[in-house]
Amino acid sequence: MKERAQNTKLPEQAFTLYDQFAHGRINRREFMSGLTKLAVGSLTASSIMAALMPNYANAEQVSFNDPDIKATYQHFDSPKGNGQCRGYRVEPANLSQSAPIILVIHENRGLNPYIKDVTRRLAKAGFIAFAPDGLFPVGGYPGNDEQGKAMQRDMDGEKLKQDFFAAAAMLKGDSKGHGKVGAVGFCYGGGMVNKLVTEQPDVISAAVPFYGAAPDLTKVKNIKAPLLIHMGELDEWVNAMWPDYETALKDNNKSYQAYIYPNARHGFHNDSTPRFDKEQAELAWQRTLTFFHQHLKA
């Protein structure tokens, strides 16, 4: 992974405030008010905020014109959701036979450059990867995360869920696949992966939620796919759900592996923000690729 300077000068509380802001638990005014209280000397509220915001130049590990991949956009129908939808599809350039397909589900802000790069990384590793833009029905990812977050928050949550379900079903029948579909998601997307395996168990063959909310525990019994679950040690909100989720997985004899990465924050895989933890992100990603290669064989 590309090196990202991890800003150790930021106070830990700044990351907590950013996490609350990014997930809609506080508004911008409350976010800035909290940062103002942390400002000391040359470290102003504005400079702290600037350091916390995504820098997508850091997230490009695989160029869109890399000769080893072929990237396009593909439309699909979501009759129970928002109608016509669109996603970012990336394949190995010299695909000569069927290949496993992976659904990539974005955070709570649409198909931003980081998620598009993750999709390209999967294609570079030999998979067909498809990342729906949940914001397409309302105009698509707007170019900045804050506006994208507001757009996604205002959408009908049930219809949006059905759009991702429709994408998974479409990939299940893809002519270039061999019938096995994996799913990986981050934050909101991790929670959506958990919903997919509990509510669409016959569609997903392997699932990797990164720091995603637990699903309805009464539906854990439906899971058929093996799970690889990634969490950051400092992610209090997601981790608070884990004990009950793990109990439900054990009680229902489900196949899962779970890792809690030391000193890692929520979003530790996202190399566009200072929450990125290079060592832990690389380890989680290698585990993810190995897991998909193992469980998505023809």
Side-chain angles (χ1 to χ4, degrees):
M1 282 191 172
K2 254 186 192 179
E3 201 58 70
R4 161 110 190 177
Q6 296 182 45
N7 197 329
T8 57
K9 295 181 180 180
L10 293 178
E12 188 61 35
Q13 182 61 20
F15 292 100
T16 300
L17 288 166
Y18 177 77
D19 188 55
Q20 292 172 339
F21 174 62
H23 295 91
R25 295 193 284 276
I26 60 174
N27 59 33
R28 173 179 266 274
R29 179 185 59 79
E30 293 168 321
F31 178 47
M32 292 304 298
S33 175
L35 294 184
T36 299
K37 295 175 183 177
L38 300 176
V40 177
S42 61
L43 194 65
T44 65
S46 295
S47 65
I48 296 173
M49 183 173 182
L52 289 168
M53 293 298 104
N55 180 350
Y56 285 123
N58 289 311
E60 186 177 89
Q61 295 184 29
V62 181
S63 172
F64 71 92
N65 59 7
D66 186 298
D68 292 335
I69 63 170
K70 176 184 177 183
T72 58
Y73 288 95
Q74 178 179 345
H75 290 85
F76 64 97
D77 292 325
S78 176
K80 295 182 180 179
N82 286 293
Q84 189 177 63
C85 300
R86 191 180 78 163
Y88 185 61
R89 183 183 177 112
V90 192
E91 304 177 359
N94 299 315
L95 190 65
S96 59
Q97 58 186 7
S98 63
I101 301 181
I102 298 175
L103 175 68
V104 184
I105 306 182
H106 58 65
E107 305 149 308
N108 66 336
R109 60 210 66 183
L111 183 60
N112 61 29
Y114 156 65
I115 296 297
K116 292 176 77 172
D117 196 75
V118 168
T119 310
R120 294 193 293 269
R121 295 173 206 175
L122 286 166
K124 188 86 171 177
F127 301 99
I128 298 170
F130 184 74
D133 184 357
L135 300 184
F136 178 76
V138 292
Y141 176 69
N144 73 81
D145 279 13
E146 190 168 350
Q147 186 180 351
K149 181 181 67 175
M151 291 168 65
Q152 188 162 325
R153 183 181 62 241
D154 290 341
M155 294 182 73
D156 183 309
E158 178 61 26
K159 286 187 176 181
L160 184 57
K161 181 185 79 170
Q162 292 299 331
D163 292 343
F164 290 111
F165 284 10
M170 179 266 295
L171 295 176
K172 182 77 170 174
D174 192 286
S175 62
K176 292 187 177 181
H178 51 51
K180 288 188 177 181
V181 176
V184 61
F186 304 85
C187 185
Y188 166 87
M192 189 58 63
V193 168
N194 283 324
K195 290 182 178 180
L196 263 169
V197 295
T198 53
E199 299 181 37
Q200 303 286 302
D202 293 320
V203 177
I204 302 300
S205 297
V208 183
F210 275 78
Y211 29 83
D216 180 343
L217 298 184
T218 66
K219 298 179 180 178
V220 169
K221 63 181 182 293
N222 299 332
I223 295 175
K224 296 182 179 179
L227 294 167
L228 174 62
I229 299 166
H230 300 302
M231 295 167 283
E233 182 184 24
L234 304 180
D235 188 355
E236 295 180 1
W237 182 72
V238 168
N239 294 356
M241 306 178 198
W242 173 238
D244 289 343
Y245 187 14
E246 183 173 36
T247 296
L249 289 167
K250 288 180 176 178
D251 287 348
N252 287 280
N253 297 312
K254 300 306 176 184
S255 173
Y256 75 95
Q257 303 170 56
Y259 296 96
I260 299 178
Y261 295 85
N263 298 313
R265 301 180 177 92
H266 183 89
F268 71 85
H269 183 267
N270 187 334
D271 46 359
S272 72
T273 82
R275 298 178 298 169
F276 173 58
D277 187 312
K278 183 177 187 293
E279 180 181 356
Q280 307 292 17
E282 287 183 345
L283 177 57
W285 191 244
Q286 286 306 313
R287 285 171 169 165
T288 297
L289 295 180
T290 299
F291 179 81
F292 279 142
H293 280 300
Q294 176 186 353
H295 292 288
L296 298 178
K297 293 179 181 177

